[in-house]
Amino acid sequence: MSVRKVVKYGEPSLRIPSKEVLKVSKKIKILVEDMLDTMYAQNGVGLAAPQVGENYRIFVVDVSTGEEPLNPIVFINPKIIKKSGACISREGCLSFPEAFTDVRRYANVMVKAMDRNGRSFVLEAKDGTLLARCIQHEFDHLNGILFIDHALNRFDAESELQKHNLPPIEVEKMLSEPELQAEIDKLPKEKKAE
Ligand code: ZN
C-alpha cells in the first residue's frame, strides 16, 4: 500500500462535507490501508479521508502511540450517537504542521460505524481520553470542521497559525456551542485552566 500526501489547512477539500460510503469496495479498502500507512508514516493518532483529498466519510485512529502491537480502528460512515461531559484539550492536526491550540470537547462519546469489512460496531470512549478526543476531531473532518473552529481562545489560535505560516482563522467558521459550553462551565476551576 502507499503513503499519501496529507493536504494542509487552506486546501478546499478540508472544508467540504464528505459523502457516505455506499459500498466497502476494493477502492475503499485500498483507501483505508493507505490512510493507515499515511497516519503511521506521519506519527499521527488519527487521520480522516478528506486529509488525503478524498471526501469520503472515513477516518482511522490509533491511540496506542508507538506501542506494539498497533491498534488501528477504522470508522466508515460514523455517527456520534451519544455525547456528554466536557474537557479542554490541547490539539494539533496533521493538516496543521506543528500548530497546537486548546479546544473544547465532550468528555464522553459513543460512536456507531462500520469497520473495514463493512461490519457495524459501536464504540464508547470516556473521560476525555485521547481516544474520545480523537474521535471527535476526526469526525469533524468529515463535516468540513477543523479543530481551530473549537478554539478556546481565538487569539491564541490565531497567533499559533501565524507562527507556523498557516492561513488565518476563519472567524465565520468558529462554532458557538452552548451545550458544550454549559458542560465546560461545570468543570472544576483547575481543569478549566489547563
Ligand atoms: Zn485533523
Side-chain angles (χ1 to χ4, degrees):
M1 298 299 146
S2 52
V3 172
R4 301 209 191 179
K5 183 175 171 272
V6 175
V7 300
K8 277 199 197 146
Y9 177 47
E11 197 76 37
S13 73
L14 291 178
R15 284 301 194 185
I16 300 171
S18 291
K19 48 185 185 289
E20 295 266 321
V21 173
L22 299 177
K23 182 173 179 271
V24 185
S25 60
K26 184 93 206 285
K27 182 190 160 194
I28 293 293
K29 287 186 179 180
I30 291 171
L31 172 60
V32 166
E33 293 305 321
D34 286 358
M35 285 170 62
L36 289 167
D37 289 348
T38 307
M39 174 179 74
Y40 290 126
Q42 305 275 342
N43 294 314
V45 290
L47 184 75
Q51 291 181 278
V52 291
E54 297 271 7
N55 285 97
Y56 285 107
R57 301 189 75 82
I58 305 173
F59 67 80
V60 296
V61 303
D62 188 338
V63 294
S64 64
T65 53
E67 286 164 42
E68 298 286 346
L70 298 174
N71 184 27
I73 314 175
V74 176
F75 299 78
I76 298 175
N77 297 342
K79 294 200 170 42
I80 292 185
I81 51 179
K82 228 158 79 179
K83 49 193 183 183
S84 65
C87 61
I88 291 164
S89 70
R90 198 149 186 80
E91 284 181 25
C93 176
L94 292 177
S95 297
F96 292 71
E98 291 173 61
F100 293 87
T101 198
D102 287 335
V103 298
R104 300 179 182 91
R105 293 290 182 197
Y106 287 96
N108 315 300
V109 288
M110 194 186 272
V111 54
K112 185 172 185 234
M114 269 190 308
D115 67 14
R116 60 177 121 180
N117 298 309
R119 277 192 287 261
S120 141
F121 68 96
V122 173
L123 187 141
E124 192 170 18
K126 289 182 141 185
D127 304 323
T129 51
L130 181 57
L131 180 61
R133 293 181 275 125
C134 194
I135 287 171
Q136 294 171 74
H137 176 121
E138 301 309 333
F139 180 80
D140 275 349
H141 273 299
L142 309 183
N143 295 324
I145 297 169
L146 302 171
F147 76 114
I148 48 167
D149 304 340
H150 296 277
L152 195 61
N153 184 316
R154 174 189 144 193
F155 302 100
D156 281 354
E158 211 148 50
S159 71
E160 183 72 3
L161 294 182
Q162 210 168 35
K163 199 161 84 191
H164 298 287
N165 298 313
L166 289 160
I169 287 270
E170 295 161 275
V171 181
E172 71 285 359
K173 302 266 189 204
M174 292 197 74
L175 299 162
S176 130
E177 298 167 287
E179 273 174 47
L180 180 53
Q181 189 54 49
E183 297 280 3
I184 297 271
D185 292 340
K186 283 188 235 161
L187 289 176
K189 262 209 178 68
E190 62 275 21
K191 287 234 169 156
K192 274 190 262 190
E194 253 172 28

